[in-house]
């Protein structure tokens, strides 16, 4: 207030305190500045408004609204700067890192970090790139420069900026500044970037394989030419797998179609179901959807990414509508891979033949029948049994419904009886003859049990057509196509009612009963040829006399 101060105090940190009384006061401090190019004036108590007037000095740390940073920095203008060396503290030096991220939106992450000790306030103006707009709070911008203030103890400052998309970006390392720059680039797959100027430096793989890095010297520049590659025409939806599960009945067929697909964009995808079906449900990722069937067309809502779709319907056709049953033709709307068809045949049908595209089941009974015919022809040429070709063949056809061991027992029984009849008493020497007779009795019992078992299986069991292939059986038929058209190829089944199988097996059982009477008479003759039994005592006595 125009009078000398009554008391002053300088604390341990070097701050000068002035004693004043209550009320408003005007304080004037005068003194020479040190003979340095830069002088820092800390402001431990933040003033509400600061005005500065200077000659031959630049004042840093003032804002347009009159507020100040935590310290003011006075920098001597270069034309009047002192040329002599300054002992003591080092001038501040910084690292400025600009990380350019080119994605659907472009942005820049800028980091200003100290390289010298953080014991002084640093005030610098970092130039922004063309088209850069600072988005972080607390960062002031003036004349295309970001005003950076680092208080004592503050080591770095970060801010984010939006960057306008353009065909090229130019970066230049300024000269005669108290910092060194590092440029980083991360361009997503939607952009192609050609860099010209200084070469990039090698980065460790752990730091991110997509990042490119440049460390320019003052005055060096870099130009980035950015283009967006044109999209290649093609499908935006891929069906990774499809499973058509069918459960045909006498008059209707229950069908379920499961799709695993991926899409690069959302929208609607239409599939076409067979004519006259009744839609039961539509589920996407396990959630039921209220979708109606328009004629044959079913419009499915598709979202980007992977999803699972399940469509169930009922067809008004079954096995009673004809001997030939075909799987329904479903148009998936686009070619697919891993197309599967799973069909559960009805227990009331006799499968005679089947077929389909790709890898699927086959009825092995007919190939077995060809092998049986060849075997029957060979056995009929033997003179051991009176069975002719057609008898051996009919016997073998009926025995296909039992395990092959049981069929082998019956064939071995007939051949053993024929051999016994031809050999007569010379079939076995001494006491071995009785053992042979006992073995023939046991073999006859096993053969008769096998025949009885085959009749029971034929009249009461299900037909065994030896269906195999791609994990199929008589109860589940599976077809697989690794690549399929928009409408996968259909499979087919030729079936007849199970009653036809029962009638055929009944006719075979009647024939077997009539033929077995003749075979048993012939078998008894063979069994008793020469002699029926050799007394053990007589055999012992004759052995001693010899």
């Amino acid at each position: 207030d125009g009078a000398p101060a009554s008391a002053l105090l300088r604390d341990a940190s070097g701050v000068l305190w002035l004693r004043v009384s209550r009320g408003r006061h005007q304080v004037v401090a005068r003194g020479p500045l040190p003979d340095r190019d830069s002088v820092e004036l800390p402001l431990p108590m933040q003033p509400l408004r600061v005005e500065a007037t200077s000659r031959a000095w630049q004042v840093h740390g003032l804002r347009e609204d009159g507020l100040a940073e935590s310290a003011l920095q006075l920098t001597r203008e270069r034309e009047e700067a002192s040329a002599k060396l300054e002992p003591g503290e080092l001038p501040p030096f910084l690292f400025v890192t600009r990380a350019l991220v080119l994605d659907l939106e472009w942005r820049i992450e800028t980091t200003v970090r100290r390289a010298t000790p953080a014991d002084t306030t640093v005030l610098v103006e970092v130039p922004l790139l063309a088209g850069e707009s600072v988005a972080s709070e607390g960062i002031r911008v003036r004349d295309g420069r970001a005003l950076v203030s680092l208080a004592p103890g503050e080591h770095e400052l970060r801010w984010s900026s939006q960057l306008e998309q353009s065909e090229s970006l130019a970066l230049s390392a300024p000269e005669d500044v108290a910092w060194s720059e590092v440029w980083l680039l991360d361009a997503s797959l939607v952009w192609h970037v050609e860099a010209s100027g200084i070469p990039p430096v090698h980065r460790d793989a752990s730091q991110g394989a997509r990042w490119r890095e440049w460390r320019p010297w003052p005055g060096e520049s870099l130009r980035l030419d950015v283009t967006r590659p044109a999209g290649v025409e093609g499908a935006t939806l891929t069906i990774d797998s499809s499973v058509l599960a069918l459960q045909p009945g006498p008059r209707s067929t229950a069908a379920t179609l499961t799709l695993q697909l991926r899409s690069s964009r959302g929208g609607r995808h239409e599939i076409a179901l067979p004519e006259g079906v009744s839609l039961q449900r539509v589920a996407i990722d396990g959630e039921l959807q209220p979708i109606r069937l328009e004629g044959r067309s079913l419009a499915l809502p598709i979202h980007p990414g992977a999803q699972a779709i399940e469509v169930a319907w009922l067809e008004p056709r079954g096995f009673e509508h004809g001997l030939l049953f075909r799987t329904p033709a479903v148009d998936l709307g686009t070619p697919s891979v891993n197309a599967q068809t799973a069909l559960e045949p009805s227990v009331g049908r006799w499968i005679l033949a089947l077929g389909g595209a790709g890898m699927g089941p086959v009825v092995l009974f007919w190939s077995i029948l060809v092998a049986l015919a060849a075997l029957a022809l060979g056995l009929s040429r033997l003179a051991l049994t009176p069975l002719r070709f057609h008898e051996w063949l009919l016997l073998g056809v009926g025995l296909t419904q039992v395990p092959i061991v049981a069929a082998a027992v019956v064939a071995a029984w007939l051949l053993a009886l024929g051999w016994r009849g031809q050999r007569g008493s010379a079939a076995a020497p001494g006491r071995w003859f009785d053992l042979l007779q006992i073995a023939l009795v046991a073999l006859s019992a096993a053969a008769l049990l096998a025949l009885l078992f085959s009749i029971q299986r034929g009249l009461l069991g299900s037909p065994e057509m030896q269906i195999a292939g791609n994990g199929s059986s008589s109860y589940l038929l599976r077809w697989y196509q690794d690549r399929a058209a928009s409408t996968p190829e259909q499979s087919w089944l030729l079936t007849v009612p199970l009653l036809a199988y029962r009638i055929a097996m009944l006719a075979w059982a009647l024939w077997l009963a009539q033929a077995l009477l003749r075979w048993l008479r012939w078998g008894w003759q063979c069994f008793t040829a020469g002699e029926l039994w050799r007394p053990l005592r007589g055999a012992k006595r004759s052995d001693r006399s010899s």
Side-chain angles (χ1 to χ4, degrees):
D1 297 329
S6 59
L8 294 174
L9 174 65
R10 187 183 300 275
D11 59 15
S13 62
V15 177
L16 186 64
W17 295 90
L18 169 66
R19 180 180 180 182
V20 294
S21 59
R22 185 187 302 273
R24 297 169 60 91
H25 301 278
Q26 183 185 39
V27 179
V28 179
R30 294 186 179 90
L33 293 177
D35 191 12
R36 297 201 302 265
D37 289 343
S38 178
V39 178
E40 181 181 351
L41 299 179
L43 300 176
M45 299 179 62
Q46 192 75 13
L48 295 181
R49 183 174 178 81
V50 178
E51 295 181 0
T53 303
S54 66
R55 290 182 300 173
W57 294 84
Q58 293 181 357
V59 182
H60 303 281
L62 289 181
R63 302 182 182 179
E64 291 80 357
D65 55 2
L67 296 178
E69 305 290 349
S70 59
L72 298 179
Q73 188 177 35
L74 306 181
T75 304
R76 196 185 301 273
E77 295 182 355
R78 193 166 298 277
E79 58 269 20
E80 298 183 7
S82 176
K84 67 179 183 178
L85 297 176
E86 297 182 7
E89 57 187 45
L90 293 173
F93 192 80
L94 308 171
F95 288 114
V96 178
T97 302
R98 305 177 192 264
L100 284 72
V101 181
L102 308 185
D103 207 339
L104 296 180
E105 293 183 354
W106 292 9
R107 69 179 192 276
I108 303 177
E109 303 290 337
T110 306
T111 303
V112 178
R113 180 170 53 86
R114 290 180 186 261
T116 51
D119 53 0
T120 60
T121 300
V122 177
L123 300 172
V124 294
E125 297 181 359
V126 179
L128 303 178
L129 300 183
E132 180 182 357
S133 301
V134 177
S136 301
E137 297 182 356
I139 303 297
R140 296 184 300 123
V141 178
R142 182 176 61 193
D143 298 333
R145 297 173 178 268
L147 306 182
V148 178
S149 174
L150 293 175
E154 189 177 4
H155 293 273
E156 69 176 25
L157 179 66
R158 298 172 179 267
W159 72 85
S160 297
S161 305
Q162 299 294 326
L163 185 62
E164 295 181 359
Q165 296 184 5
S166 60
E167 296 181 355
S168 63
L169 295 174
L171 294 89
S172 180
E175 298 180 300
D176 300 328
V177 292
W179 70 78
S180 175
E181 296 208 5
V182 178
W183 302 329
L184 300 175
L185 173 64
D186 178 16
S188 68
L189 299 179
V190 300
W191 303 103
H192 177 72
V193 180
E194 291 285 348
S196 58
I198 61 174
V201 299
H202 175 73
R203 286 176 59 87
D204 187 17
S206 61
Q207 299 176 334
R210 289 175 49 181
W211 287 94
R212 285 187 277 178
E213 180 178 347
W214 292 267
R215 294 181 177 267
W217 285 44
E220 292 184 334
S221 60
L222 174 69
R223 177 184 174 88
L224 301 176
D225 295 318
V226 184
T227 57
R228 186 164 189 168
V232 179
E233 294 185 2
T236 60
L237 183 141
T238 299
I239 298 179
D240 293 326
S241 68
S242 65
V243 179
L244 179 61
L246 302 172
Q247 293 179 325
R251 297 177 180 84
S252 62
T253 300
T256 302
L257 175 64
T258 303
L259 301 176
Q260 298 287 341
L261 54 84
R262 289 173 294 139
S263 179
S264 59
R265 65 181 182 183
R268 288 160 52 95
H269 180 70
E270 293 188 359
I271 64 175
L273 302 183
E275 289 284 356
V277 302
S278 175
L279 185 64
Q280 301 296 304
R281 69 179 183 277
V282 178
I284 299 179
D285 293 332
E287 297 183 3
L288 295 178
Q289 304 293 324
I291 303 177
R292 297 178 57 186
L293 184 62
E294 302 290 342
R296 291 185 55 199
S297 178
L298 182 65
L300 301 173
I302 304 298
H303 61 76
Q307 55 200 299
I309 299 177
E310 181 179 319
V311 181
W313 68 88
L314 196 65
E315 295 187 24
R317 67 183 183 95
F319 282 123
E320 290 187 355
H321 290 75
L323 301 181
L324 186 64
F325 178 85
R326 290 186 178 275
T327 58
V330 181
D331 187 356
L332 303 181
T334 183
S336 64
V337 296
N338 302 321
Q340 303 180 53
T341 301
L343 189 147
E344 298 181 19
S346 174
V347 294
R349 305 296 294 185
W350 182 16
I351 301 176
L352 299 180
L354 49 80
M359 183 169 57
V362 64
V363 178
L364 298 177
F365 175 81
W366 306 114
S367 57
I368 295 177
L369 185 60
V370 173
L372 283 176
L375 182 60
L377 181 61
L379 292 176
S380 65
R381 298 294 179 90
L382 298 177
L384 294 177
T385 66
L387 277 71
R388 290 175 290 180
F389 168 73
H390 71 278
E391 292 177 312
W392 278 112
L393 181 60
L394 288 176
L395 180 62
V397 169
L399 293 177
T400 57
Q401 304 304 302
V402 296
I404 190 172
V405 175
V409 168
V410 175
W413 170 61
L414 294 173
L415 294 175
L417 286 177
W419 176 81
R420 168 67 178 84
Q422 286 188 357
R423 299 285 296 178
S425 299
R431 68 186 65 180
W432 293 104
F433 183 84
D434 295 338
L435 295 177
L436 175 62
Q437 294 293 87
I438 295 174
L440 285 176
V441 171
L443 184 60
S444 300
L448 292 177
L449 288 177
L451 291 173
L452 182 62
F453 179 57
S454 64
I455 295 175
Q456 185 267 340
R457 284 288 302 269
L459 295 178
L460 302 179
S462 300
E464 181 57 58
M465 299 298 290
Q466 306 293 333
I467 298 176
N470 192 31
S472 301
S473 65
S474 300
Y475 307 99
L476 179 62
L477 307 176
R478 302 164 61 94
W479 288 271
Y480 172 80
Q481 302 177 54
D482 56 348
R483 293 182 179 273
S486 177
T487 302
E489 295 188 33
Q490 297 174 265
S491 303
W492 57 270
L493 274 75
L494 179 61
T495 65
V496 295
L498 192 59
L499 180 60
Y501 172 75
R502 297 280 186 259
I503 295 175
M505 292 307 298
L506 178 60
W508 179 83
L510 294 176
W511 168 83
L512 179 62
Q514 182 268 338
L516 191 58
L517 293 177
R518 294 186 291 105
W519 297 346
L520 289 176
R521 289 195 298 267
W522 164 79
W524 177 254
Q525 295 174 2
C526 295
F527 184 72
T528 59
E531 56 183 322
L532 177 63
W533 191 261
R534 291 179 182 178
L536 296 179
R537 292 181 180 178
K540 292 180 180 179
R541 190 179 300 113
S542 61
D543 290 341
R544 285 197 297 268
S545 62
S546 62

